[in-house]
Amino acid sequence: MRTFKKVYIEITSVCNLACSFCPPTARTKGLIKVEQFNNILDEIRPYTKYIYLHVKGEPLLHPRIDQLLDAAHEKGFKVNITTNGTLIKKNRKKLLGKPALRQINFSLHSFDGHEGSENREKYLGDILDFVRDSREYNTIISYRLWNLQKDHVSGLAARRNRRTLEILENEYGLDYHIEEKVEPGKGIKIGPHIYLNQDHEFRWPSLLAPEDEGKGFCHALRSQAAILVDGTVVPCCLDGEGVINLGNVHEKNFAEIIEGKRANRIVDGFSRREAVEELCRKCGYRQKFGM
């Protein structure tokens, strides 16, 4: 039986920011119901122990995030959350001490990616306050700054990043500049259970993007799958518009969907280092694994 290292479950497609690096979804806005979430957990339980509560949207907008975490724990799952961090103060009581919560990724690049952001110190201060209180629960924290450009970092971006990194350096008593040690795509440990990762600006794949010859490899449907807020199953967390619709978990069994003809065709194609789906041929992430 095919199993996955992780399954993404999008609990909302709504976001409270409008970041330049994240195209807004054209899908109907939605919020998963607790009952639907429980049913999905039952469907995927034989296939993974790790779930990630995001594809698009800001997961901390879900008013019952605490109930979702409790449901995940009851069914034996460990949960990772990726958040822009703006709502962390409001949700601290719903998150702290939840046994299912394994890791929180804070997308710090969201602050400068959103045109209306104000008060960097307060934004980071709320996040740091939460992280301090989370230490006793050994929750893994990953700070992300994914705003590097392929050729260089502009002067403005570099100055903004330096202000953010300086706050983190002071918080964790670092005697070096983080830029001196971090490498794009690789994290460094800056405290117990606390990491920082810098990388190039993320680009969502799009059918409007140029297509290449389609060579390469991907872990889609090998180590991961994703379920959008309406129940649509897609091969990976990068199909934010549900282009590669493998079926709906509210209408078919998850097992039937991931063993379907289209799903197997994708897996078999990447076994030959060949992208058989148009969206996959327009996705730069595939090139990370070699052409």
Side-chain angles (χ1 to χ4, degrees):
M1 183 178 73
R2 185 183 302 164
T3 57
F4 303 111
K5 291 182 179 178
K6 52 194 172 186
V7 171
Y8 293 83
I9 304 176
E10 182 185 69
I11 60 175
T12 179
S13 56
V14 181
C15 190
N16 61 325
L17 300 184
C19 296
S20 58
F21 54 81
C22 190
T25 179
R27 293 183 283 119
T28 302
K29 294 180 179 179
L31 198 71
I32 201 168
K33 296 178 180 178
V34 175
E35 182 182 357
Q36 292 174 324
F37 185 75
N38 269 294
N39 291 339
I40 288 174
L41 294 183
D42 288 337
E43 286 287 322
I44 68 172
R45 188 188 285 190
Y47 298 92
T48 192
K49 293 298 179 186
Y50 296 92
I51 56 176
Y52 289 59
L53 301 187
H54 59 281
V55 175
K56 284 291 194 73
E58 168 51 52
L60 297 191
L61 277 172
H62 200 293
R64 298 187 176 183
I65 183 72
D66 50 344
Q67 294 180 37
L68 301 185
L69 288 169
D70 289 342
H73 176 62
E74 288 170 7
K75 296 179 186 295
F77 290 93
K78 289 296 183 181
V79 178
N80 287 30
I81 292 176
T82 295
T83 173
N84 59 42
T86 57
L87 303 174
I88 194 66
K89 184 175 182 178
K90 180 180 179 181
N91 284 277
R92 56 187 293 116
K93 291 182 179 179
K94 294 183 178 182
L95 299 175
L96 284 173
K98 289 296 185 184
L101 187 55
R102 173 184 175 269
Q103 179 169 332
I104 301 182
N105 306 312
F106 289 101
S107 298
L108 302 185
H109 47 279
S110 301
F111 183 86
D112 291 315
H114 178 68
E115 190 173 334
S117 294
E118 297 178 351
N119 199 336
R120 186 185 309 270
E121 286 70 23
K122 182 183 185 307
Y123 165 71
L124 291 171
D126 287 346
I127 292 174
L128 293 175
D129 282 345
F130 174 86
V131 172
R132 289 185 207 111
D133 289 342
S134 73
R135 284 177 177 170
E136 64 180 288
Y137 306 108
N138 294 326
T139 307
I140 299 170
I141 302 295
S142 175
Y143 298 120
R144 294 177 172 179
L145 267 178
W146 290 2
N147 59 2
L148 301 178
Q149 304 301 310
K150 290 296 182 183
D151 47 359
H152 66 282
V153 177
S154 70
L156 177 59
R159 289 194 297 273
R160 287 171 168 174
N161 280 356
R162 177 91 293 273
R163 288 168 60 196
T164 293
L165 294 174
E166 184 177 10
I167 291 172
L168 292 176
E169 289 161 3
N170 290 336
E171 173 71 14
Y172 298 107
L174 305 184
D175 58 0
Y176 57 87
H177 282 186
I178 289 172
E179 299 98 325
E180 298 170 2
K181 296 197 175 185
V182 73
E183 297 179 32
K186 295 183 180 179
I188 61 169
K189 188 173 185 178
I190 60 175
H193 306 289
I194 300 173
Y195 301 85
L196 183 133
N197 182 286
Q198 279 196 281
D199 208 342
H200 295 108
E201 183 176 314
F202 178 77
R203 296 192 181 278
W204 287 88
S206 167
L207 291 177
L208 301 177
E211 185 173 324
D212 60 29
E213 69 275 17
K215 299 297 181 183
F217 179 77
C218 182
H219 291 283
L221 294 174
R222 287 180 194 272
S223 65
Q224 65 165 282
I227 303 172
L228 303 181
V229 71
D230 67 351
T232 299
V233 178
V234 292
C236 73
C237 63
L238 303 188
D239 188 357
E241 290 303 300
V243 173
I244 308 175
N245 184 342
L246 301 176
N248 193 295
V249 76
H250 300 318
E251 301 167 1
K252 286 184 180 181
N253 292 332
F254 184 72
E256 183 182 353
I257 294 171
I258 62 169
E259 292 295 347
K261 184 177 180 180
R262 191 174 188 181
N264 282 323
R265 188 166 172 264
I266 292 169
V267 174
D268 293 343
F270 281 125
S271 294
R272 304 188 302 270
R273 306 190 77 79
E274 175 186 341
V276 299
E277 292 281 348
E278 180 184 0
L279 186 68
C280 299
R281 294 194 295 271
K282 297 180 174 182
C283 178
Y285 197 81
R286 162 176 47 88
Q287 299 168 7
K288 287 192 174 188
F289 303 105
M291 301 296 285

